[in-house]
Amino acid sequence: MAALRYSGLDDTDSEDELPPCWEQRTTKDGWVYYANHTEEKTQWEHPKTGKRKRIAGDLPYGWEQETDENGQVFFVDHINKRTTYLDPRLAFTVDENPTRPTTRQRYDASTTAMEILQGRDFTGKVVVVTGANSGIGFETAKSFALHGAHVILACRNMTRANEAVSRILGEWRKAKVEAMTLDLALLRSVQHFAQAFKAKNVSLHVLVCNAAAFALPWSLTKDGLETTFQVNHLGHFFLVQLLQDVLCCSAPARVVVVSSESHRFTDINDSSGKLDFSRLSPSKSDYWAMLAYNRSKLCNILFSNELHRRLSPRGVTSNAVHPGNMMYSSIHRNWWVYTLLFTLARPFTKSMEVTHLGRGLPLGPKSPGQSSFCFFFEED
């Protein structure tokens, strides 16, 4: 009660008075949750009434929200020159419907990433997003950062990556966001990124494998592999392998692999049903850009499914998602024909704020050739 009295909130209603060992806290988004210090757990429902609450209105005049070195939110009353960890608006909370609505009721085609994460507090979580300087990757990274996560933008072009960091900090100056170099077309760069990340001695709670190439003309990387295959699949596969120990030590953790429904329009097996390695990294004469993209997306799904099978017992889950068909991004920039088609379709597409990974459709293990994909993993 001393803390309540200090913040001017000691006049409480008996029905809402918390039992011993319970504490009322708020997220950055203004949602109220409750911490039990004896059982070391938190929950959204009031321990006595079972109601969910959120903060109503802005902070009183003269108050400002800050974050300490541990990521904990606190409040400063500049007029009376005092500091408290209790939100001064707790006296004016409003009840939310205790019945949790279904996903279909909560989210629709116009739902944004920020709305998906409403009420979520990612303070203390570390998130890596590849290809995060634009498009879906940027919106995903921004949404995580604005909800308290420490976000690392893993990008090939550091100039654009730093610009993306500045844009996020422009929305919230206290966001924990940084850029690191990662070129998926160069396996040595992937290795250097993993080494640099491990040198930070931080956890890794979410790894979003988002970066991708589309409609590229045929070319080989410095590693001697077809570029679309290496950038879209093999580079991410290598990255996950290098960071696997960090993910397991950070459990519960998650890997999100951005795939596509276009994986259904290809196969990686030969006529006898066996895996055809030549289809994964084809020669110039056998190359078709769209087919190469489809195969790389099929590899994404098979990789994610097998990764989940192997690591889920250790607390690391893996999900492959389809971000949606009707969206406008810059992925088409490599060929003028696709640029023209995307431009014509733009009035009917969703923006990147709406088309984000929070609303991605899960892709199940119903693709051909899944059983032969385990060759990408070392034996247990």
Side-chain angles (χ1 to χ4, degrees):
M1 292 300 293
L4 286 171
R5 192 177 302 110
Y6 180 69
S7 60
L9 302 177
D10 52 318
D11 186 14
T12 60
D13 188 277
S14 59
E15 182 189 50
D16 289 335
E17 185 174 348
L18 291 171
C21 304
W22 283 90
E23 180 187 354
Q24 191 172 219
R25 299 177 180 175
T26 56
T27 67
K28 291 185 179 69
D29 296 327
W31 290 87
V32 178
Y33 68 99
Y34 304 90
N36 186 314
H37 295 290
T38 301
E39 301 180 15
E40 297 184 348
K41 68 175 185 179
T42 60
Q43 64 186 52
W44 294 109
E45 295 80 13
H46 190 286
K48 288 177 65 177
T49 66
K51 296 179 180 178
R52 293 190 179 195
K53 294 189 175 185
R54 61 180 175 84
I55 299 298
D58 299 326
L59 286 169
Y61 177 75
W63 285 82
E64 182 181 6
Q65 181 175 295
E66 301 280 352
T67 306
D68 64 19
E69 62 275 7
N70 298 318
Q72 183 73 31
V73 176
F74 66 95
F75 302 88
V76 179
D77 180 357
H78 293 288
I79 296 177
N80 297 307
K81 298 185 176 359
R82 57 181 180 175
T83 300
T84 176
Y85 282 89
L86 287 174
D87 193 320
R89 297 167 294 177
L90 282 173
F92 308 100
T93 57
V94 295
D95 292 342
E96 285 294 304
N97 188 346
T99 303
R100 188 180 183 88
T102 64
T103 301
R104 184 178 298 276
Q105 292 173 320
R106 294 182 67 189
Y107 309 134
D108 57 27
S110 63
T111 307
T112 66
M114 296 299 290
E115 291 170 341
I116 291 288
L117 295 181
Q118 176 71 28
R120 304 274 184 171
D121 185 5
F122 287 94
T123 301
K125 303 297 183 182
V126 180
V127 179
V128 171
V129 184
T130 68
N133 59 355
S134 64
I136 301 173
F138 173 76
E139 291 300 329
T140 301
K142 181 182 74 172
S143 300
F144 275 123
L146 296 184
H147 284 79
H150 175 190
V151 181
I152 296 174
L153 282 62
C155 305
R156 176 178 57 86
N157 187 323
M158 287 304 293
T159 299
R160 295 180 62 187
N162 288 324
E163 290 174 354
V165 169
S166 298
R167 288 165 61 192
I168 295 173
L169 291 174
E171 294 199 31
W172 186 34
R173 62 183 177 84
K174 295 182 179 179
K176 297 185 65 176
V177 57
E178 61 179 299
M180 292 178 62
T181 303
L182 173 64
D183 185 355
L184 294 167
L186 188 62
L187 296 181
R188 184 172 66 253
S189 174
V190 178
Q191 191 170 30
H192 288 168
F193 174 88
Q195 292 171 346
F197 178 84
K198 290 181 177 180
K200 293 178 176 292
N201 293 317
V202 296
S203 300
L204 178 56
H205 302 99
V206 182
L207 172 58
V208 182
C209 300
N210 164 76
F214 176 75
L216 292 178
W218 183 87
S219 65
L220 295 179
T221 66
K222 292 183 179 180
D223 300 300
L225 296 165
E226 191 277 312
T227 304
T228 301
F229 171 67
Q230 179 165 332
V231 171
N232 293 7
H233 168 65
L234 196 61
H236 281 129
F237 169 83
F238 189 37
L239 177 65
V240 173
Q241 291 294 90
L242 293 174
L243 297 178
Q244 178 176 305
D245 55 339
V246 183
L247 286 163
C248 291
C249 290
S250 307
R254 173 168 297 183
V255 177
V256 179
V257 183
V258 183
S259 185
S260 170
E261 276 291 333
S262 65
H263 79 280
R264 301 184 185 278
F265 307 110
T266 187
D267 196 357
I268 54 177
N269 290 344
D270 58 23
S271 57
S272 65
K274 294 183 179 180
L275 180 63
D276 187 350
F277 288 87
S278 65
R279 295 190 181 191
L280 300 178
S281 183
S283 63
K284 187 174 183 179
S285 60
D286 296 326
Y287 180 79
W288 180 31
M290 192 68 228
L291 196 56
Y293 177 80
N294 294 352
R295 286 170 177 163
S296 71
K297 297 292 103 176
L298 174 57
C299 290
N300 287 160
I301 295 173
L302 301 178
F303 163 57
S304 178
N305 290 341
E306 181 63 15
L307 181 69
H308 181 80
R309 186 187 72 82
R310 293 185 177 221
L311 295 190
S312 56
R314 301 174 64 182
V316 180
T317 59
S318 180
N319 301 89
V321 299
H322 167 54
N325 292 319
M326 296 302 290
M327 63 181 181
Y328 187 87
S329 71
S330 59
I331 195 172
H332 56 78
R333 61 187 178 273
N334 295 299
W335 193 27
W336 70 269
V337 174
Y338 285 112
T339 299
L340 177 61
L341 292 175
F342 273 69
T343 301
L344 293 174
R346 186 166 190 174
F348 310 100
T349 61
K350 295 178 288 188
S351 68
M352 287 299 100
E353 288 81 2
V354 172
T355 308
H356 55 86
L357 299 187
R359 295 189 65 253
L361 302 176
L363 295 170
K366 298 181 180 179
S367 307
Q370 179 176 358
S371 61
S372 59
F373 192 71
C374 296
F375 82 96
F376 278 115
F377 287 88
E378 296 178 358
E379 290 299 316
D380 288 327

